[in-house]
Amino acid sequence: MLDAPARSQSPSGRSSRRSQPPAWLAAAGRGGAGGMIGTVLYYVLLPVARLLQAFRDAFFTCRKNVLLAKSPATCIDGLSAPVSGKPVSEEQQALLQQWLEEGAGGLHTSESPSKTEKVLAISTAEWLEGPELLMTSLSDLNISAQSDGQEQQHVVQTEASPELQEFVETTLANLPAEEREAEGDSALWAAIRTQADPQIIDAAPLSTEVWIEDPAVLAWSPALETDVVSTEGAVWPFQDVGQFQPFPAEIPYHEILWRDWEDLSAQDCIPEEGPEAGSLFEFRVMSYNILAQDLIEQSPHLYMHCHPDILNWSYRLTNLLQEIQHWDPDVLCLQEVQENHYWEQLEPTLMMMGFACIYKRRTGRKTDGCAICYKQSRFQLISTNPVEFFRPGLDILNRDNVGLVLLLQPLLESLGDKAIRPLCVANTHVLYNPRRGDIKLAQMALLLAEIDKTSKMADGNYCPIILCGDLNSVPDSPLYKFIRNGQLYYHGMPAWKVSGQEEFCEHPYQRKLLTPLWPSCLGITDDCQYVTHCQSKTSDRLKYSRDFLLQFHYCDAACERPAELILLEGVTDAKPDRPPHWPKKLTVNNNSDPELFCSRYPGNIQHGLNLTSAYNHFLPQRGRPEITTMPLGVGATVDYIFYSAKPIKNENEESRRMYQDGALKLLGRLSLLSEDILWSANGLPNPFCSSDHLCLLTSFGLEISDF
Ligand code: KL2
């Protein structure tokens, strides 16, 4: 009856480890009396536990909807509209009652993994008495219902109408520049004031399998409880449902913000399965900027659209952990991980969930950093390489951002005569400042050099690479193109253009990127390799060998008499005889290495890691861009999962580089959302998504080869 959404939208799930029967049941089933106990547990206690769990879920969901309804109660231009005067508990009870009356919603059988499931957000606008135009334009909020067999799936299509957009734009434009940031966001959020319908349809049920299977999950819930600090005004969910303990909670966090699992395993890019069919090591990678609490406190104006309760760290922590548990990644790259939260809560909890974690705090006085966590049952750590982007005395690297690069050995139960290459996983959070693209580029170059070093194997080839992170740069910006195309001509480029966040740049700096971008004392070449790790010195000699240079003696250009050279017959018109063993054509024309001269080209940087993005940055069904974050109500993609692939030869050198999957195959991904959907949930963070970023989740298959 019940199945976890994580499974129902199963990220591929070819891996058998996810479909094992509960160990305790299998064990109990071996003996006669044991079998009886097992049967009783399975058929009596399990349904009871599931029922209790369903009640819990309903309760939490109600609470989140209540918070969502309360979220936009910020006071804009004197228009204050508290959503409800009722105490929360009454509302919750009423909502729970309603939910139960309406069919206890979500207790439905699971969907097949490939089936597309949809958002069920129902938003009704609560009109303010303020700007009429603004409010009536919200009538564009459009609720449509789709029937799909037995199931009702509700899709909300919220469009910010042209009037609304116009109003917001003119409001913002009319504000004095320095007030725009502070007030613009409030205006935006007032404009999209929405209230979630208390009706909860299709509340995603939970699999008890998750927590029964995994003792770590059982363990972390009570552990979490001890960490709880209920702050003023905040209602701690676990407190309210204490009677349901010790059943751990996995809240179906995304009733409103439903995200489809896109199964890509059957696509053309995956080669026909031959004799090595199924010989892929499958794993899931999540990248998540979890929003450091200190950063909320440093920039409260960015979160004025949020009800204070949902900004409470305890509330957010629970949600974030549940989200991670729900999607069950094997590799987890986190950004904005506050150090005390890491050591006190995140690391202990994630460890109990089976992860080993490595953390790198930002330098200076910044309290957050990046973490990479990997399931210890699936990977073994080979090396840890933290990267500090701050370099004293270098203006281009004077910020406190960091990166982290791990080399992980995938673990196979029975390797036999098979081999599997290590996996290089990198994580970073690049500088935010939209004006300082020069710094972002240099930070990226440092990280790429570390990835290059870490992923280069003894045979000179790179192992498969995954690069996650918040790059604070949008798709198709020069920085993005640099990563994806492996090359960027930067000379003369305005620094504010590099990350493509031009809309946030009110006073674009006139700073331009000049050659060289970083001084040679940094020890990084234009190929984004450490000087000691690149073959540049040797290859220079090889590339410009004596023979190579001598052949220019006899090339047509060299034999041409310069126009200003006086013609002396037999002297200045004499052409030297080409020695018979010298090649007729310059080998440079046939040189198989197209980077040969490129790498000498000033104003140019490149790398050879062949990285492509797991996401397309566009939602074809909605005809809208994907969003990973929403600063000040404006959606953007700044988070990425890049992975190494094989470049496809493309005649047109200028155009976007093409790739096909190589040793690393993209099997699926969790779809992102569009800006309009997020508006309907009051932006980010909201009661369901506890960061100002969405998580990215992909499933990969790593080739297992014969020795
Ligand atoms: O964009 V971010 O949010 O990846 O979600 O990364 C940075 C910003 C993060 C770490 O520096 O803090 C946020 N305006 C808006 N957001 C800011 C600002 C700012 N001036 N400064 C830092 N952040």
Side-chain angles (χ1 to χ4, degrees), residues 289 295 302 336 362 429 432 470 472 692-693:
N289 178 326
L295 292 176
L302 296 176
E336 288 197 28
R362 289 166 74 187
H429 185 190
Y432 164 75
D470 176 348
N472 271 315
D692 57 346
H693 291 246

Side-chain angles (χ1 to χ4, degrees), residues 62-121:
C62 290
R63 174 174 158 69
K64 289 184 184 187
N65 278 313
V66 169
L67 282 170
L68 180 65
K70 290 172 77 169
S71 283
T74 41
C75 180
I76 312 299
D77 293 332
L79 293 172
S80 170
V83 172
S84 165
K86 278 190 237 167
V88 172
S89 59
E90 275 179 47
E91 277 185 44
Q92 286 176 326
Q93 279 167 18
L95 292 173
L96 181 56
Q97 187 59 36
Q98 188 171 353
W99 184 83
L100 291 168
E101 280 167 11
E102 280 162 11
L107 305 184
H108 64 93
T109 38
S110 67
E111 303 279 328
S112 73
S114 57
K115 194 165 173 184
T116 299
E117 297 183 73
K118 287 290 177 189
V119 175
L120 51 81

Side-chain angles (χ1 to χ4, degrees), residues 72 74 76-77 79 124-128 130-141 159-161 163-169 171-172 183-195 305 633 679-680 682:
T74 41
I76 312 299
D77 293 332
L79 293 172
T124 55
E126 185 174 351
W127 306 144
L128 297 180
E132 291 298 327
L133 167 66
L134 182 62
M135 293 306 135
T136 49
S137 69
L138 283 173
S139 60
D140 288 353
L141 290 174
E159 305 286 340
S161 74
E163 295 97 310
L164 172 60
Q165 301 270 15
E166 202 179 311
F167 177 85
V168 169
E169 277 160 24
T171 310
L172 286 175
E183 297 194 25
D185 56 335
S186 310
L188 275 170
W189 294 116
I192 59 155
R193 179 184 181 79
T194 58
Q195 185 179 12
H305 60 287
W679 274 45
S680 71
N682 199 39

Side-chain angles (χ1 to χ4, degrees), residues 6 17 34 54 68 144 181 323 358 366 388 449 453 457 620 662 672:
R17 78 196 165 95
L68 180 65
S144 72
E181 197 173 272
E323 202 172 348
I358 314 279
K366 303 287 191 279
E388 294 186 354
K453 184 190 83 179
M457 302 286 95
L672 285 161

Side-chain angles (χ1 to χ4, degrees), residues 146-221:
Q146 288 180 344
S147 278
D148 186 0
Q150 301 276 310
E151 295 213 359
Q152 285 271 317
Q153 293 179 341
H154 293 250
V155 179
V156 76
Q157 294 168 348
T158 57
E159 305 286 340
S161 74
E163 295 97 310
L164 172 60
Q165 301 270 15
E166 202 179 311
F167 177 85
V168 169
E169 277 160 24
T170 47
T171 310
L172 286 175
N174 292 336
L175 284 169
E178 60 275 18
E179 286 177 25
R180 270 179 223 168
E181 197 173 272
E183 297 194 25
D185 56 335
S186 310
L188 275 170
W189 294 116
I192 59 155
R193 179 184 181 79
T194 58
Q195 185 179 12
D197 193 304
Q199 182 178 205
I200 298 156
I201 301 154
D202 205 0
L206 300 170
S207 169
T208 41
E209 214 182 283
V210 179
W211 50 267
I212 287 169
E213 263 181 13
D214 189 351
V217 179
L218 268 176
W220 75 257
S221 182

